[in-house]
Every structure is written in C-alpha cells, then in structure tokens.
C-alpha cells in the first residue's frame, strides 16, 4: 500500500542508533530517584544509606538483565568511556601475557581510538559486514595477543556478528573477549562466552550519560585511570546515581517489550530495504538482510553527496544519520563501509524506535526519491 498522506507531515526521528527517545519509564524513574538519589552512597547517614540502596538495586537490575553477578557491573559516564575502559583496562591487566589487541575492522571509533594507543591486529569482514572467522581464529591464536574486541552488531549497517563462535576461538587461545554491545543490549540477548562487555543507556531509551561495563570474575582488569581515595572498581569519582537508576528501570521495561518491538520494527525495516531500491535508481542497501538488528537499515545512493541528502531530509522533517555515526564531522568516508567494500556515497542510516510508526516510514519512502533526484540534478547527474 502506497503512502497517500501529506509529505509535509509531522517530523520523524529516525536515528535511534545514535540515541533513542526517552522511554516513559526513564522519565518516571529519574524524577523519583532525584528525591532519594542525590546523596553520596558511601556516607553512613540516612540519606547516604537510601542512595546506597538505590545503587544496589540498580546494579542488581543490570546484573539480572545481563545474566551476570552484581559485583561484576560498574557504571561509567558514557558508553564510550565504558568501552575504552574495557580495552585499556583489559590490556593493562594482561600486560604479562602480551600487548596486542585483536579487533574487527568495523569496531566503533571509540574502540579504534583506544586500540591506537598500542599494538593492534585488525580482522576483516565480508561485503555483508560479517566477521571473517577463519582470519579471527588465526589472529587470536598469534603470540603476544592480550585481548580481543568484537562489536556485537554493527552500529552502521546492523549486521549481527558471530559472537559465540568468536568467543569459542578466544577461549581456545586463552584470550579474553571484549564485546561492545551498545546496539544490542535492550533489543537482543548477547551470546555467552565473552569476558568483558559494555553498553550505553541512551541507545535503548535510557538517559544519556550512563555507560555500563561488565568484567567477569577471573578476568584480570586494571583501571587505566587514576583512582580516588576510596577503592571503587569503576570510574573514579561519583556517578550520576539518579540517571543510573533510570537506566536500570528503562532497561527492564524495554526488555519486556523487546520481542514484540523486534517483530514490528523488523517488518518496517524490511519494507525500507525492499522499497528504496525500487523507488531510487543506483542505490545499494548494505548489511546482512537476515542476520541483522531489527531496527536498523543503511543504504547508499550513487552520485549523491551524503551531507546534502542529510540536510534535505532534515528540512523535510526526517532525522537520520549519514556516513559513519561518529566520524561524519571529519569528512572522511565511513571506515565500516570501506572495510565492507560497499558503496559509501550518499549514505543514509535509518534506525527506528518504539515511537516510529508505519506512517513515518511510508512518508519517508514518499519523500526520499524526489530529494535524491533534486540533489543529482543539481550536481549535473
């Protein structure tokens, strides 16, 4: 059924892979936690004890959601901080075993920047963005490897990575595996076998400024940052406890909705994947069509400037991402699309959330062809 409504309809936010709109539970929990979560949990007076109870409850909620022990969970100022702490702390803890980080070619830029501090070995992916497992097996078995890093699912094209198989090869080699699960937590379970895991609350509809790091018992991890006077096996200093409480409450809520939302959003993504190549000439839809996140689709338009298309869509009422979500401002091509060997011109990433409607998608599909045609015509194509 074609869209027959007004192309200039209400604005549609389609960039949930960057940050999802706040879940209603987030707002409720945040306001409630501000009443009792403002004090220092380390203090022994009543207000401190109430804050400590909130902190313990939030940690227990995350542990239950992730299938780990509560004392394996720590909180960080962001998903980036948690991921970089995992890499740098994991390498520091394994310094006697080696000094090399093995990582996929499609890791988030936060991980790649951490990797650039030392020795690293990169493992490629195929045209669907899926890890080359044979190369991974050889890489983690090489002498001097201290840690391996694998994103659970690509933040740019949505391809789900073979975490279980990669973890099995790491276990054979005696190498801990760090999984950046920012795009998966709250939407899909992460396969077991990993040693460290990070997540980011604003990806699932929690508040910004809350990163989660899990370090399994038996994994040697040394904080890469100076510590404070109290022994805290996480970020030095205080965390935003009300935000942490809201993040835990929202994760519980989105997990309860995850299966139904995955079915609904996956059908909308399937529609975009099928219709965009039919409506727009010279388009490549990238990423695995089946082994993928339910809410994310990426396509590239030949002879189109990605920034121009992004602005045109914004003027038409659509918030989307173009190119690498974390390197778009640098004017360099997406390292993920380069690693896949796919078209990177005019790249658009559409990522849906619980508030996205079928009408939003239909209006996007109605507006996109004309915008692409206009940009191509202006470029003389």
């Amino acid at each position: 059924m074609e869209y027959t409504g007004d192309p200039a309809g209400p604005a549609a936010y389609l960039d949930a892979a960057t940050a999802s709109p706040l879940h209603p539970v987030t707002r409720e929990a945040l306001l409630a936690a501000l009443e009792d979560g403002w004090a220092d949990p380390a203090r022994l007076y009543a207000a401190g004890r109430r804050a400590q109870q909130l902190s313990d409850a939030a940690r227990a909620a995350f542990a239950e959601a992730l299938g780990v022990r509560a004392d394996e969970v720590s909180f960080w100022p962001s998903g980036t901080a948690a991921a970089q702490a995992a890499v740098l702390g994991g390498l520091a803890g394994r310094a006697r075993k080696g000094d090399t980080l093995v990582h996929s070619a499609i890791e988030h830029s936060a991980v790649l920047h951490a990797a650039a501090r030392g020795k690293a070995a990169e493992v490629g992916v195929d045209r669907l963005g899926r890890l080359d497992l044979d190369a991974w097996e050889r890489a983690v078995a090489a002498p001097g490897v201290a840690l391996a890093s694998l994103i659970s699912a690509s933040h740019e094209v949505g391809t789900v990575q073979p975490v279980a198989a990669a973890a099995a090869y790491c276990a054979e080699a005696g190498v801990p595996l760090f999984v950046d699960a920012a795009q998966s937590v709250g939407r899909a379970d992460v396969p077991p076998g990993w040693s460290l895991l990070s997540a980011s609350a604003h990806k699932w509809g929690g508040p910004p400024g809350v990163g989660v790091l899990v370090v399994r018992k038996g994994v040697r991890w040394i904080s890469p940052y100076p510590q404070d006077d109290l022994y805290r096996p996480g970020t030095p200093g205080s965390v935003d406890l009300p935000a942490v409480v809201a993040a835990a409450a929202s994760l519980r809520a989105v997990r309860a909705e995850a299966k139904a939302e995955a079915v609904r959003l996956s059908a909308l993504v399937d529609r975009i994947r099928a219709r965009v190549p039919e409506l727009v000439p010279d388009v490549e839809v990238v990423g695995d069509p089946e082994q993928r996140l339910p809410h994310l689709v990426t396509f590239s338009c030949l002879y189109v400037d990605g920034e121009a298309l992004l602005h045109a869509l914004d003027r038409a009422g659509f918030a989307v991402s173009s190119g690498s979500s974390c390197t778009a401002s640098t004017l360099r091509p997406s390292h993920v699309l380069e690693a896949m060997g796919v078209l990177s011109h005019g790249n658009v990433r559409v990522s849906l959330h619980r508030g996205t409607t079928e009408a939003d998608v239909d209006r996007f599909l109605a507006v996109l062809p004309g915008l692409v045609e206009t940009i191509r015509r202006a470029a003389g194509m």
Side-chain angles (χ1 to χ4, degrees), residues 34-120:
L34 285 170
E35 293 293 325
D36 289 319
W38 52 268
D40 186 344
R43 299 307 176 188
L44 300 179
Y45 41 71
R49 293 196 302 273
R50 287 195 297 270
Q52 184 61 56
Q53 290 172 345
L54 287 175
S55 178
D56 291 345
R59 199 179 305 273
F62 275 111
E64 180 182 4
L66 299 173
V68 300
R69 293 168 41 147
D71 58 357
E72 295 174 333
V73 178
S74 61
F75 303 119
W76 296 76
S78 66
T80 292
Q84 293 185 335
V87 171
L88 298 177
L91 289 172
R94 294 262 300 170
R96 292 183 180 180
K97 297 289 185 180
D99 59 359
T100 300
L101 173 72
V102 172
H103 64 82
S104 81
I106 60 169
E107 296 301 295
H108 191 279
S109 59
V111 171
L112 297 182
H113 286 308
R117 283 196 172 187
K119 296 181 181 179

